[in-house]
Amino acid sequence: SQELEQSPQSLIVQEGKNLTINCTSSKTLYGLYWYKQKYGEGLIFLMMLQKGGEEKSHEKITAKLDEKKQQSSLHITASQPSHAGIYLCGADMARQLTFGSGTQLTVLP
Amino acid sequence: DGGITQSPKYLFRKEGQNVTLSCEQNLNHDAMYWYRQDPGQGLRLIYYSQIVNDFQKGDIAEGYSVSREKKESFPLTVTSAQKNPTAFYLCASSIWGDNEQFFGPGTRLTVL
């Protein structure tokens, strides 16, 4: 089965710093989804990437899918406390989503 | 407003009791899903349904049951056969064939 590995598992940054979260697959990614979750709440859809080399941005968050389509990165510029939460990547597999284990982000004011 | 709701938000049950978690959506989505989330393990698929009166087992279906009598509703029953039921349960829905899933707020189940 396809596996997704996220790194790092947790991240603590000072407000205003940039950060990157990675999602690596053992197989080619045909659809890669990024979600954000506040502790104890549901997932909020951030972005979806399909094409190798594709890059999407929303406010201060940018996601990329590498050319070989086996890794995606999520980059946050000038982090704010509102960015804190769990970031999960999900891969499209046989009409189902397989999720990574998540990255817990803490932003210190 | 369209959306997906889950109730209750918190649920406590004694060991050995069955419990049913509610999931309702008014997005007119054909597909619905149940996930379990444990710390450090991401989301794991329990059951999914593509259409009314049809559902399929996910990766961890043992000890769970579902029904899909209406398009809008996909309740999950956690049975006494589930060995470790304490977890955070998330319901989601999507247009069938599209994996952009919309999630409910979740139900935290604690078995005492």
Side-chain angles (χ1 to χ4, degrees):
Chain A
S1 61
Q2 184 167 24
E3 292 185 355
L4 287 179
E5 289 192 6
Q6 282 188 241
S7 62
Q9 286 187 325
S10 64
L11 193 54
I12 302 173
V13 299
Q14 202 72 41
E15 183 177 357
K17 296 294 185 184
N18 301 338
L19 63 105
T20 300
I21 298 168
N22 293 304
C23 177
T24 303
S25 171
S26 57
K27 297 181 180 180
T28 299
L29 295 164
Y30 293 102
L32 191 287
Y33 299 76
W34 282 101
Y35 286 88
K36 179 187 175 184
Q37 183 183 28
K38 291 284 190 183
Y39 180 77
E41 299 180 9
L43 276 64
I44 304 297
F45 172 78
L46 294 175
M47 277 171 273
M48 178 203 169
L49 305 164
Q50 282 186 303
K51 299 177 183 177
E54 186 174 11
E55 179 176 321
K56 289 186 177 178
S57 294
H58 176 66
E59 296 180 343
K60 295 184 178 180
I61 300 176
T62 300
K64 301 179 185 180
L65 183 61
D66 76 356
E67 292 286 347
K68 294 183 180 179
K69 296 177 69 176
Q70 286 196 275
Q71 185 177 52
S72 178
S73 61
L74 186 83
H75 184 78
I76 298 177
T77 304
S79 58
Q80 301 169 357
S82 61
H83 288 129
I86 301 170
Y87 290 81
L88 294 113
C89 61
D92 209 334
M93 183 182 71
R95 295 186 172 181
Q96 297 176 30
L97 279 183
T98 296
F99 286 90
S101 56
T103 295
Q104 173 81 53
L105 173 63
T106 302
V107 180
L108 301 175
Chain B
D1 290 334
I4 180 165
T5 58
Q6 291 183 243
S7 62
K9 189 167 179 63
Y10 299 97
L11 191 55
F12 296 88
R13 279 296 181 268
K14 291 184 178 179
E15 192 173 334
Q17 290 182 334
N18 292 354
V19 61
T20 297
L21 282 60
S22 168
C23 178
E24 304 275 335
Q25 54 97 2
N26 61 4
L27 300 167
N28 199 33
H29 285 166
D30 292 309
M32 297 187 73
Y33 312 81
W34 274 105
Y35 294 92
R36 170 182 172 136
Q37 187 177 32
D38 294 284
Q41 293 192 43
L43 274 65
R44 291 182 290 168
L45 183 64
I46 304 173
Y47 268 99
Y48 65 99
S49 169
Q50 304 172 27
I51 197 169
V52 173
N53 292 322
D54 183 60
F55 46 83
Q56 307 295 328
K57 292 182 179 180
D59 299 324
I60 55 165
E62 186 176 351
Y64 300 97
S65 66
V66 293
S67 62
R68 187 85 185 279
E69 297 177 1
K70 298 187 298 181
K71 187 176 185 178
E72 304 79 21
S73 178
F74 191 40
L76 173 75
T77 297
V78 184
T79 75
S80 56
Q82 169 50 234
K83 295 178 183 177
N84 186 19
T86 295
F88 189 56
Y89 290 88
L90 286 159
C91 179
S93 69
S94 73
I95 298 169
W96 181 242
D98 183 346
N99 254 330
E100 182 180 339
Q101 296 181 14
F102 294 77
F103 283 81
T107 292
R108 185 165 298 280
L109 172 64
T110 302
V111 175
L112 306 172

